[in-house]
Amino acid sequence: MAKKMFLMEGNLCGERVRLGRAMQKPPMRQEDLAREINLMGMEITPLIISRIEKGQRHVCDGELLMLARALHVSMEWLCGAEE
């Protein structure tokens, strides 16, 4: 039996990543977000963005920081701690 690495399912930021993309003018596609993060020096694909938004993939702290920067929001907002 495989050992579980994380105690919680999904992630805290998936819905906020989707919302953050929609709030951009014009709205940002998953491809655009992935490209923006890649330009900042972290490799990420639109498929990874999709899995994060669906709660199918955990997000490490470095990814959370890059997502926040690319979406022009705080990490606290992405985690739901701010409105």
Side-chain angles (χ1 to χ4, degrees):
M1 179 181 287
K3 184 177 176 180
K4 276 197 157 186
M5 191 170 175
F6 299 99
L7 297 177
M8 67 178 274
E9 297 290 325
N11 59 53
L12 294 174
C13 69
E15 180 62 26
R16 289 285 179 109
V17 170
R18 187 197 59 73
L19 182 59
R21 285 190 310 102
M23 291 181 349
Q24 303 300 307
K25 303 287 186 221
M28 187 181 271
R29 300 173 306 146
Q30 290 173 341
E31 293 83 3
D32 301 327
L33 180 56
R35 185 178 311 108
E36 185 76 23
I37 293 171
N38 286 326
L39 288 173
M40 288 189 268
M42 178 178 276
E43 281 194 42
I44 197 164
T45 65
L47 178 60
I48 292 171
I49 303 288
S50 175
R51 293 189 67 216
I52 288 170
E53 290 181 359
K54 292 176 183 176
Q56 297 172 340
R57 184 181 182 282
H58 288 279
V59 178
C60 72
D61 53 357
E63 291 171 331
L64 187 65
L65 178 61
M66 292 296 182
L67 286 163
R69 286 182 178 170
L71 294 170
H72 309 287
V73 299
S74 69
M75 291 193 307
E76 291 82 6
W77 184 85
L78 275 182
C79 292
E82 292 179 357
E83 286 304 313

